[in-house]
Amino acid sequence: MSTSLLNQVEAAATLIQQSTYMVVFTGAGISTPSGIPDFRSAESGLWLKDDPMQVASATAFREHPERFYNWLRPLLEASWKALPNPAHHAIAQLEEKGFVKAVLTQNIDRLHQKAGSRKVIELHGATSQFHCPMCRSVPQDSQLIIEEILGGSIPHCSRCGGILKPDITLYEEALPEKAWVAACQETSQADLFLIAGSSLDVVPAASLPYQAYQHGSRLIIINYSATYLDRYADVVIHQNVAEVLPLITEKVSNRR
């Protein structure tokens, strides 16, 4: 470990130990080490292959459900098979130790829950839940629906025959109100806000860290690329979050 990185890890661990209400905000970069592709990276982002308005918008779902599910299928499969990586486990450990009060995530893969995090607010929903836009019914067996989709089918509502929609936020849709209100409440209480694996490009979710900063929260940013908040952060680490977060968590644990 370089001296520079060691100093950054030490500084982050100190901030965590001094905090009384730490909130973690995560994006696609925390899940790519688990094999889930991100959407906007310069070399492999999903939007280099597809126009999101053509495959991942509310209009695409309504008018071209086959196109929508052809796009969703490989992402759903990756999410379903993926396992949490050391970054997810590090956050769960910090929650278990009482430091992390909530995890706000832009991800739809449920890897935080798989790692053991208990208070997770999913700003963009999750691929593991479905509902019928026609009659508003909620199927009980999501696993059966996922298996149906992965088998090449489009899932239909058993009650009215409508096409089932995963509980994820598409383009042209607002964020789930309940999740947004809860995230804003957590943000307003934070005295330390840790951003992990997010380029902070997607609004309105990306506005939450700045809201925290405006309320007086300290900021830690761990992300490969620069973000618009780097200049305001107390610690900025442009490295692999799956390697750095466990180092910080270990440092916090050893000090205690």
Side-chain angles (χ1 to χ4, degrees):
M1 189 188 312
S2 68
T3 302
S4 174
L5 178 58
L6 178 60
N7 291 339
Q8 291 169 321
V9 168
E10 292 274 2
T14 298
L15 287 174
I16 291 172
Q17 287 183 299
Q18 293 174 345
S19 69
T20 59
Y21 206 97
M22 175 182 172
V23 173
V24 177
F25 179 92
T26 66
I30 199 172
S31 292
T32 50
S34 293
I36 298 177
D38 69 0
F39 293 89
R40 291 172 175 79
S41 65
E43 298 179 359
S44 59
L46 292 178
W47 298 148
L48 294 177
K49 304 174 184 178
D50 295 296
D51 179 348
M53 296 305 295
Q54 297 297 316
V55 297
S57 65
T59 299
F61 173 78
R62 287 193 308 269
E63 298 182 0
H64 304 284
E66 183 175 345
R67 184 188 300 169
F68 169 81
Y69 272 105
N70 285 341
W71 165 78
L72 180 70
R73 194 167 287 113
L75 182 60
L76 181 61
E77 183 174 17
S79 299
W80 200 36
K81 293 180 178 179
L83 296 175
N85 63 60
H88 295 102
H89 288 295
I91 292 171
Q93 289 168 20
L94 287 173
E95 182 184 11
E96 185 178 359
K97 295 176 185 299
F99 291 106
V100 173
K101 305 304 182 184
V103 178
L104 319 181
T105 185
Q106 297 171 286
N107 299 332
I108 57 178
D109 50 41
R110 286 280 163 97
L111 289 183
H112 284 298
Q113 290 91 329
K114 288 182 182 179
S117 290
R118 294 180 295 277
K119 190 170 185 179
V120 182
I121 298 172
E122 295 168 316
L123 293 164
H124 295 156
T127 54
S128 59
Q129 295 176 313
F130 299 82
H131 71 277
C132 177
M134 298 286 289
C135 69
R136 299 296 175 183
S137 64
V138 177
Q140 297 301 310
D141 195 341
S142 294
Q143 182 171 334
L144 196 63
I145 295 169
I146 291 172
E147 291 174 353
E148 183 181 352
I149 295 168
L150 297 183
S153 300
I154 295 176
H156 288 80
C157 176
S158 60
R159 179 179 296 177
C160 73
I163 295 176
L164 295 177
K165 179 184 179 296
D167 287 353
I168 58 176
T169 303
L170 303 179
Y171 281 84
E172 304 173 327
E173 292 182 332
L175 298 189
E177 182 178 3
K178 184 177 179 180
W180 178 250
V181 170
C184 288
Q185 290 175 340
E186 294 296 335
T187 298
S188 68
Q189 298 179 77
D191 66 350
L192 179 62
F193 212 86
L194 188 151
I195 296 100
S198 176
S199 57
L200 300 179
D201 289 332
V202 181
V203 293
S207 68
L208 291 171
Y210 186 64
Q211 289 181 33
Y213 170 75
Q214 288 183 309
H215 292 149
S217 176
R218 314 290 289 273
L219 300 180
I220 298 173
I221 300 177
I222 307 171
N223 191 58
Y224 265 129
S225 60
T227 78
Y228 80 95
L229 278 180
D230 283 8
R231 58 179 174 158
Y232 300 113
D234 297 88
V235 177
V236 178
I237 304 177
H238 289 155
Q239 298 205 37
N240 188 339
V241 67
E243 296 175 0
V244 172
L245 258 178
L247 295 176
I248 294 172
T249 299
E250 182 182 11
K251 186 69 64 175
V252 171
S253 300
N254 290 342
R255 286 182 181 178
R256 297 188 82 191

